[in-house]
Amino acid sequence: MSNYIVSARKYRPKRFDEVVGQQNVTNTLKNAIKNQQVAHSFLFCGPRGVGKTTCARILAKTINCENPGDDFEACEECASCKTFQENGSLNIFEMDAASNSQVDDIRSLTDQVRYAPHTGSYKIYIIDEVHMLSQSAFNAFLKTLEEPPSYAIFILATTEKHKLLPTILSRCQIFDFNRIRIEDIVDFMMQIADKEGIEADRNGLHTVAQKADGALRDALSMFDRLLTFSGNSLSLQDVLDNLNILDYDYYFKVTDALLAGDVANVLLTFDDILRKGFEGDVFINGLAEHFRDLLVCKDPNTVSLLEVTGDLKTRYQEQAALAPASFLLNALNLASQCDMNYKTSKNKRLHVELALIKMAHISQAVELATSQDGEASAENARSESAHSSQTAAKKKSVSDLQDSQSTLTTDTEADQSGNNEPLAQETSNNTEETNGSGNPSGDEDNHVDTEQVSDEGLFARANDGQSTTEEHELSNSSIDVSPQDEAYPSEGSTYSSENEDETQFHPQNSADDQSHEPAVSEVSEEEQQAHLTNNQPQEKEEEGQETNGLLNGTDDGSQESTQEWQGEASEHPSAAENPVETMTEQEPQHSAKETSPSSASLQEPQETGPKESMNGSFTLSDLRNNYITNDQEQEQQVAEPESAEEVLIDQDQLLEVWQQYTRELYDQKRLSLYGFMKDITPQANGPAVEITFTNRLQEEIFSNERQKLNEYLKQQLSVPYLRLSMKMDKNKESQPSNRPFTAKEKMQKMAEKNDKLLKLKDELDLDLDY
Ligand SMILES: [Zn+2]
């Protein structure tokens, strides 16, 4: 017992080569010795337990060694080295400034400095925690520090460099010690285990190193403590049990459950964790770290930041692939909020549980939010099939969510979407059918659905019935169904199965249809074809929306909007989004009233598109968008005749080119511009492109890019002339306009309060980054 030495001391490095994880420092020191350019004052900064004192001692020993080797390490054999090994050297003097912080302590030190060493050539003074020295002690020390005797070397060590006065910093050669990498700590402990004949599990040591947070000394003292418990073998479980560390399995398990939205499982796991004696904040912090690790796994460039061993790494990568970044970011946010308020919360368990429940709903909330955004953008980008089908996928997941809320079984939903999707593709030349989400098998499902919906659902159905009816009347004006059009009957039957009251409209509709039937199409075959390909992906989307609308509560807004559109029957609803399209398509659309089935069906989804989205998930922003688009419609009407001569920019094409440009920005890693441009929806207005900002920072960032973007758009849209107009949307402006954003603005703002600042800036010749 008496000769037991803790590992941190027993295996304290004796040579620069043995120092773990501080190669930059040790190499510099060795070079300094080699070139005989050893400074007289050093400042070693860095976290505790990373080797500052160790390096200071090695330096002291090496420069006093009588026969340094070729590699400029101490020989360990000469008299000087031996006295160092026995801790008997008089040439090294250590002082802890934390307990000797007064001016008298420094005076006694500087008194000692006056005496040259008896043996050896240098005296080394190590002052630990130097930031603890009092002001007067510092002042008393400055003179000696600046001009020490030739034999004296001062090594100041601190964990808090920022607390030191500039007068001290400028007198020292500063070495920053790194936090030691986990892998290095593990390797070092493995070496010790080998030497001691201990069987240690690498994963266990890894956990120890993680807990040590970069401090080798901490890791070694934990290692010693574990060995006294477990004897000659050390397993991961020993480590977890003794260090009160939660097994990462729990984090994987909880994250899986959170991703699945399985609240019950999450809460049960948390209960299990509490039963094991872990505090809620330990768990939530561990979970946050787990999310962070998953987040760094998502980008191949940051995987190296994940400090875990091989098999665990694959596990992280697998889970990271399943967890969307939006989920991880939101969950991290919730975890940090929970941690911040943990101490003040009265019911700590509930506090953590609440955070977990919120996390479990993130995926759903994100999907809802993106689908609402997505509706608007999907309408814009309907020509981009990839994008549309992506949005359609989102829609589906939203309807998943909504279904589960309205007590529908997910099986039914799965059936429904499963049935509809392939159908949408195979009957893509038949918009009517997919639009009505109708297919023979789908009918049954829909029927089941309506029976299962709650009162709320019934209300929604009634409402929706009305809007559907009106929509139908509206669409009848433009839709024609020829006898060979198989889609229509199935659509009709869908509606009737959805709502019994509606059956009456079916014959009426067909009667209407037949009245239009004889008319002949003026739309060319080519044009139809083009429209078909354009519309094809969107139909799936529409279908999703339709289903949503049927199953979900809708507001009066839907009805209102329908009437609005009805009133403007000649207007193309999608004109709002696609002004140019309006111009080119209006004619066909008017004639579409008496046109062939295929061209008629083309018009249908565009008309129902915005409306369905209103039905599907009606929000204030929908309403607002609706008003905005209506306004724009009127503007367009005025603008159209004027710009008819010029080359017009197609909105769809513009959006596509815009996306292409932002993607390129992303690839070029110009992320700030990318982040801002991807949020902006440019508006084609005749030959001009309008861009609306919501704050001045955007404008500033953008103005640098303007020229380039203009050229790019011109080229990609193949127009000879393009005007890029930028305007600030005061209503949307997210920040008060006088709020400073850029460094320049901030400087001006501060200068308003204190005009000496500008003077100071000039006198010091400061270069602000603007
Ligand atoms: Zn020696």
Side-chain angles (χ1 to χ4, degrees), residues 39 92 97 215 235 252 298 313 326 328 334 351 374 443 447 516 533 579 581 607-608 648 736 745 762:
I92 186 159
S235 68
F252 280 108
K298 290 200 86 73
K313 202 170 210 165
S326 57
L328 293 173
L334 286 170
H351 185 66
D443 286 351
H447 199 62
H516 293 305
T533 43
E581 207 174 291
E607 295 208 345
T608 50
L648 301 177
E745 284 172 344
D762 292 339

Side-chain angles (χ1 to χ4, degrees), residues 59-67 78 80-81 84 89 91-92 117 119-124:
L59 178 66
K61 183 166 76 179
T62 312
I63 58 181
N64 277 309
C65 178
E66 291 158 17
N67 309 304
C78 67
S80 167
C81 287
F84 265 102
S89 177
N91 287 343
I92 186 159
T119 54
S121 35
Y122 291 100
K123 272 179 120 175
I124 316 285

Side-chain angles (χ1 to χ4, degrees), residues 98-119:
S99 48
N100 302 286
S101 61
Q102 297 311 306
V103 65
D104 287 344
D105 301 315
I106 286 295
R107 286 212 180 108
S108 71
L109 180 104
T110 50
D111 284 346
Q112 280 193 42
V113 174
R114 279 190 245 147
Y115 303 104
H118 294 288
T119 54

Side-chain angles (χ1 to χ4, degrees), residues 651-707:
Q651 177 73 14
D652 290 349
Q653 216 184 338
L654 171 65
L655 289 170
E656 202 176 328
V657 172
W658 189 270
Q659 280 185 359
Q660 210 172 306
Y661 194 78
T662 50
R663 272 198 295 271
E664 280 175 25
L665 287 176
Y666 184 79
D667 292 342
Q668 292 162 12
K669 297 273 181 280
R670 300 177 64 191
L671 295 178
S672 61
L673 189 65
Y674 162 77
F676 138 72
M677 273 188 67
K678 78 174 168 42
D679 289 339
I680 282 192
T681 309
Q683 281 294 335
N685 184 1
V689 172
E690 284 175 2
I691 296 163
T692 312
F693 301 111
T694 52
N695 67 50
R696 283 156 69 188
L697 182 62
Q698 289 183 330
E699 195 176 6
E700 187 162 317
I701 297 175
F702 191 78
S703 55
N704 298 327
E705 191 71 10
R706 185 177 184 161
Q707 190 70 32

